[in-house]
């Protein structure tokens, strides 16, 4: 286990330097001209912008890769302010030890935290290795109302899940369907640590596809965000739902493509989301502060 830890930290630190070139070399054919766009420009909020938020996952190494992504997130904030970050699990490597919180969260994101940006976390598989993740649920900086919870802003409602194998699945699924059915939000965004559709190391989860996709379709969930795969992947709309993996927040692994893949890359990165009344504009941004992916999720009416 110690060897794996060292390997992961090495990948996280090396990636900040090498993955930009390597990712372009391997996946540049999918990028188009957006890779050559200038670094993030100031973009004054449009009058009809409802919310801007950022998503990232698999961050908690305290190594160079995490700091590189955190720096890019802060740079983006300076140009395009946001107040919400979806933190999709594996918040503290390697075993979820809360005593590491300063090194793996408070220090890397200090500039954002000082500006009042709120991180809303869920639990990853590494997070539950210590006391089943209870210290993280109680940690104020993660803004968790429980192992699964919901919160909303304007016309957007978020639903955070515990997707771990030992989750309280029976009660959680009843809760999720009830909350989705009661929600009056135009935009419903669900996030959890584990992927549903993925072209990465672990691949798609057939059990999750059977469990979640009928609920998402029935209750008009337009976006699911996850980590676990240490890459970036955005799918096309699958029965009305787009799936976004943003797990290259500190280290990375190779990723392929599937028939439903809109864009994928192994680059260290995070995702941004500009929510409007009729669409969500999604950007993938690397540690070089460049937009490498742009997509639009259109509002789907029931």
């Amino acid at each position: 286990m110690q060897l794996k830890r060292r390997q992961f930290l090495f990948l996280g630190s090396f990636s900040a330097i090498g993955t930009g070139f390597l990712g372009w070399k391997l996946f540049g054919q999918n990028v188009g001209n957006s890779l050559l766009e200038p670094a993030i420009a100031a973009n004054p909020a449009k009058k009809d912008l409802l919310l801007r938020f950022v998503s990232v996952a698999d961050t908690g190494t305290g190594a160079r890769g995490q700091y590189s992504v955190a720096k890019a997130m802060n740079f983006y904030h300076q140009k395009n302010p946001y107040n919400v970050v979806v933190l999709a699990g594996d918040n503290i490597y390697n075993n979820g030890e809360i005593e590491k919180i300063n090194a793996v969260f408070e220090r890397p994101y200090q500039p954002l935290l000082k500006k009042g940006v709120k991180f809303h976390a869920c639990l990853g598989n590494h997070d539950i290795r210590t006391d089943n993740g209870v210290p993280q649920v109680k940690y104020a900086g993660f803004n968790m109302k429980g192992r699964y919870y919901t919160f909303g802003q304007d016309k957007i409602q978020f639903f955070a899940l515990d997707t771990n194998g030992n989750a309280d699945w029976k009660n959680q699924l009843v809760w999720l369907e009830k909350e989705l059915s009661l929600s009056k939000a135009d935009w419903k965004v669900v996030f959890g640590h584990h992927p549903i559709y993925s072209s990465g190391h672990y691949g798609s989860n057939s059990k999750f596809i059977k469990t979640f996709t009928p609920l998402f379709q029935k209750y008009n969930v337009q976006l699911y965000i996850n980590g676990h795969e240490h890459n970036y992947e955005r799918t096309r709309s699958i029965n009305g739902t787009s799936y976004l993996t943003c797990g290259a927040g500190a280290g990375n692994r190779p990723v392929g493509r599937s028939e439903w893949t809109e864009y994928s890359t192994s680059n260290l990165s995070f995702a941004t989301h500009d929510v409007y009344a009729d669409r969500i504009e999604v950007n993938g941004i690397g540690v070089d502060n460049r937009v490498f992916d742009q997509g639009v999720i259109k509002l789907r009416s029931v």
Side-chain angles (χ1 to χ4, degrees):
M1 183 60 67
Q2 186 65 29
L3 180 59
K4 292 182 179 178
R5 168 68 172 161
R6 290 172 180 167
Q7 289 173 334
F8 179 81
L9 292 180
F10 172 76
L11 283 173
S13 59
F14 174 77
S15 298
I17 301 172
T19 204
F21 172 78
L22 181 59
W24 186 90
K25 188 70 175 176
L26 292 175
F27 304 102
Q29 65 268 27
N30 299 325
V31 176
N33 292 330
S34 61
L35 185 70
L36 302 179
E37 290 296 318
I40 302 303
N43 183 20
K46 299 175 184 177
K47 288 188 297 183
D48 55 344
L49 180 67
L50 299 177
L51 176 70
R52 175 179 290 136
F53 71 96
V54 161
S55 62
V56 69
D58 300 86
T59 55
T61 66
R64 188 180 301 176
Q66 181 185 13
Y67 276 80
S68 296
V69 175
K71 183 178 179 181
M73 290 168 60
N74 186 53
F75 182 84
Y76 181 80
H77 185 279
Q78 292 171 0
K79 304 290 185 179
N80 302 277
Y82 56 89
N83 295 316
V84 173
V85 175
V86 166
L87 191 61
D90 279 359
N91 314 307
I92 304 176
Y93 283 103
N94 200 30
N95 297 304
E97 309 96 322
I98 197 67
E99 60 268 22
K100 293 181 178 179
I101 196 66
N102 182 255
V104 304
F105 179 71
E106 294 172 350
R107 269 209 311 265
Y109 307 112
Q110 184 180 45
L112 294 173
L113 294 169
K114 282 186 174 180
K115 295 169 186 173
V117 176
K118 284 192 174 183
F119 287 68
H120 296 266
C122 66
L123 295 172
N125 53 295
H126 284 269
D127 299 318
I128 64 172
R129 291 182 179 180
T130 296
D131 196 15
N132 201 25
V134 171
Q136 291 195 41
V137 174
K138 293 181 177 179
Y139 173 63
F142 285 162
N143 292 289
M144 298 176 69
K145 301 175 183 178
R147 304 185 75 85
Y148 46 91
Y149 63 99
T150 183
F151 66 98
Q153 291 205 9
D154 296 320
K155 297 181 180 180
I156 307 99
Q157 188 168 355
F158 295 86
F159 305 82
L161 301 180
D162 177 4
T163 58
N164 287 291
N166 68 345
D168 181 5
W169 284 105
K170 180 179 179 181
N171 289 320
Q172 180 174 209
L173 290 174
V174 170
W175 168 87
L176 178 61
E177 180 156 21
K178 179 181 178 181
E179 291 296 329
L180 288 173
S181 68
L182 293 174
S183 177
K184 304 299 183 184
D186 293 336
W187 291 103
K188 299 180 183 72
V189 178
V190 178
F191 66 96
H193 181 62
H194 295 83
I196 297 177
Y197 288 94
S198 172
S199 306
H201 176 75
Y202 297 102
S204 298
N205 186 318
S206 59
K207 183 178 179 180
F208 279 9
I209 291 173
K210 292 178 182 178
T211 300
F212 288 115
T213 58
L215 284 176
F216 291 175
Q217 189 170 7
K218 181 177 180 180
Y219 295 108
N220 202 26
V221 172
Q222 296 95 347
L223 176 62
Y224 176 78
I225 298 170
N226 65 271
H228 197 52
E229 299 281 20
H230 297 176
N231 57 54
Y232 174 98
E233 183 174 19
R234 179 173 60 85
T235 76
R236 299 182 175 92
S237 176
I238 303 174
N239 295 322
T241 305
S242 296
Y243 297 82
L244 180 70
T245 298
C246 54
N252 59 356
R253 297 191 191 102
V255 59
R257 286 182 60 85
S258 301
E259 59 182 359
W260 31 256
T261 302
E262 192 70 31
Y263 188 92
S264 63
T265 180
S266 63
N267 288 13
L268 287 175
S269 56
F270 64 100
T272 72
H273 313 259
D274 282 10
V275 185
Y276 297 90
D278 63 342
R279 70 196 186 282
I280 299 178
E281 297 177 357
V282 181
N283 289 327
I285 300 177
V287 295
D288 58 359
N289 298 316
R290 294 183 182 274
V291 176
F292 58 76
D293 176 44
Q294 293 179 307
V296 175
I297 299 171
K298 295 182 179 180
L299 184 67
R300 177 169 63 96
S301 58
V302 179

